[in-house]
Amino acid sequence: MTSPAKTKNILVGATGSVASIKIPELVRLFKEDPTVDVKVVPTEAARFFFKAEDVDADMYTDQQEWEMWKKKTDPVLHIDLRNWADIMVVAPLDANTLGKLANGLCDNLLTCVLRAWDPCRPVVVCPAMNTNMWNHPFTNKHLDVLQKSLNFNVIDPISKQLACGDIGIGAMAEPACIVREVLALLDKPTTPNLTEGDLI
Ligand code: PCO
């Protein structure tokens, strides 16, 4: 039997929160849908939390971005990934990358993909951080920019015992919940991040 054509290209970004330990599970759950294809872009900090061999998807690192480009006609990895993706899901989004995205910084593969993003395609971010980081005034300010200026979708963290022992809000939403919301978003006819009027 031939497998169905892949129709949903999901780019998963991972950042330096302990919740990156859930990347193998998140990828596995996405791939339960036979029409889904997944690629993963971890930051250097995210790579600390899982083994590449546990992730059943192509993975692209900052180093590959530099290695792929030698001369003018060579492909630029963050642009190729941007073109490939129907949606980007950053899960987990740590406080550092949240701050960078809200201020337009792009100093690694993941942030470059999103700085070059096609605003007609949806982005979902799943913050995960220590409770005090979550309650810090910068978090709200930065999430406001992502939601109101960039039209990113935010899946809020949940409350549980965090990796450091603190109990409170800051844990990444459950992978099954993230998968459900992302697939539902892709099924909507149009989910533009920005309308033409916003760009004028
Ligand atoms: C803790 N920080 C964190 C970050 C977010 N944590 C989580 C969960 C995991 C276990 O279920 C680690 C996935 O707690 O998303 O824990 C102290 S700085």
Side-chain angles (χ1 to χ4, degrees), residues 39-59:
K39 294 185 193 294
V40 180
V41 176
T43 63
E44 287 306 298
R47 292 174 68 199
F48 188 79
F49 295 106
F50 61 87
K51 290 198 188 91
E53 59 263 33
D54 292 340
V55 179
D56 182 21
D58 291 337
M59 202 156 80

Side-chain angles (χ1 to χ4, degrees), residues 17-19 21-22 128-130 160-164 170-172:
S17 160
V18 199
I21 60 175
K22 302 234 168 166
M129 59 193 77
N130 178 264
K160 65 156 110 161
Q161 179 153 29
L162 302 175
C164 54
M172 188 173 78

Side-chain angles (χ1 to χ4, degrees), residues 27-156:
V27 169
R28 187 175 49 74
L29 290 176
F30 272 131
K31 292 184 78 172
E32 280 179 4
D33 179 334
T35 68
V36 162
D37 200 359
V38 180
K39 294 185 193 294
V40 180
V41 176
T43 63
E44 287 306 298
R47 292 174 68 199
F48 188 79
F49 295 106
F50 61 87
K51 290 198 188 91
E53 59 263 33
D54 292 340
V55 179
D56 182 21
D58 291 337
M59 202 156 80
Y60 299 89
T61 63
D62 294 350
Q63 197 182 342
Q64 276 161 279
E65 165 111 287
W66 295 116
E67 280 169 0
M68 270 178 70
W69 200 92
K70 300 268 187 302
K71 59 179 189 315
K72 210 172 152 191
T73 50
D74 283 346
V76 175
L77 184 55
H78 65 269
I79 300 300
D80 285 357
L81 289 171
R82 188 276 315 272
N83 291 340
W84 175 85
D86 295 314
I87 190 167
M88 183 156 189
V89 187
V90 185
L93 175 67
D94 68 8
N96 182 46
T97 302
L98 170 62
K100 286 188 198 177
L101 293 175
N103 287 284
L105 302 182
C106 41
D107 63 349
N108 58 28
L109 182 56
L110 187 155
T111 50
C112 281
V113 172
L114 281 174
R115 196 63 158 75
W117 194 248
D118 169 1
C120 293
R121 298 178 196 189
V123 175
V124 176
V125 297
C126 308
M129 59 193 77
N130 178 264
T131 306
N132 283 9
M133 287 177 154
W134 176 252
N135 289 334
H136 191 288
F138 281 170
T139 303
N140 232 338
K141 195 172 149 178
H142 292 161
L143 281 174
D144 250 25
V145 174
L146 265 51
Q147 288 177 290
K148 295 180 183 151
S149 301
L150 304 174
N151 211 25
F152 286 9
N153 301 276
V154 177
I155 303 181
D156 279 339

